[in-house]
Amino acid sequence: APVAGRSARWAQHREQRRAELLAVARVAGIAAAKKVPDLLPLAHVIGELRHETQVRMDATGIALAWPLDDACADTALTYDIYKHYLSIMRELFANIIRHAGATRVRVDIRCEDGRLLSRIGDDGQRFNGEHPGHEGGHGLFNLQRRLQELGGTLRYDRGDDANLAELDIPLRAAD
């Protein structure tokens, strides 16, 4: 019986991973066909990221709450900030999908004092930014490297019923 249980869990995990990869591939194919301008409206970037994330969460059965907010409506990102921000957010979402065992995710994004502030909460297993004993992945290392290049920070915390990841990135003036 224990072998059958492991086999069923592995099949479920494999199917969830397959659904997630198919969702990402669909969105990536759409994004690859578009030419990226020098400055990108943050509202557009957030809209596309929100849609992509909704598809990924739906594919894995995780409820996503991401209220729309006009606080960053007049903000534009340089390509460098856009590229790193998107990769960082995708990595955070991928970690929730793969490791947290979450059933709910909430995202809040705002602009304040020349900074892009993003807060992601999930109801999964406690996480502090480290993977003890986890081998093979480079996601957290790459995430920290990208943040360093942008002069940003990422702080992990645990609320009453949620893991919290708080991302703070300076919005440099475009040249």
Side-chain angles (χ1 to χ4, degrees), residues 29-87:
I30 293 167
K34 299 178 182 176
K35 182 181 180 322
V36 179
D38 292 336
L39 289 175
L40 296 112
L42 180 57
H44 180 75
V45 171
I46 290 172
E48 287 199 12
L49 180 61
R50 185 176 184 267
H51 172 74
E52 172 186 323
T53 304
Q54 185 70 61
V55 170
R56 291 175 74 187
M57 295 298 168
D58 286 349
T60 56
I62 300 172
L64 177 65
W66 191 332
L68 297 176
D69 188 343
D70 291 342
C72 300
D74 297 331
T75 304
L77 300 181
T78 63
Y79 178 73
D80 195 41
I81 294 173
Y82 157 79
K83 174 181 66 169
H84 289 309
Y85 180 69
L86 222 53
S87 294

Side-chain angles (χ1 to χ4, degrees), residues 110-122:
R110 68 184 196 285
C111 296
E112 193 174 285
D113 298 325
R115 306 192 75 75
L116 174 57
L117 307 171
S118 305
R119 183 177 177 145
I120 302 170
D122 72 76

Side-chain angles (χ1 to χ4, degrees), residues 19-31 56:
E20 176 191 345
L21 290 173
L22 286 172
V24 170
R26 271 195 308 275
V27 174
I30 293 167
R56 291 175 74 187

Side-chain angles (χ1 to χ4, degrees), residues 124-150:
Q125 300 170 13
R126 185 172 186 86
F127 180 68
N128 64 1
E130 298 177 10
H131 278 296
H134 180 72
E135 297 293 328
H138 300 286
L140 292 177
F141 172 78
N142 289 333
L143 191 146
Q144 291 298 332
R145 181 186 53 77
R146 289 179 184 282
L147 280 168
Q148 187 175 21
E149 285 185 35
L150 295 175

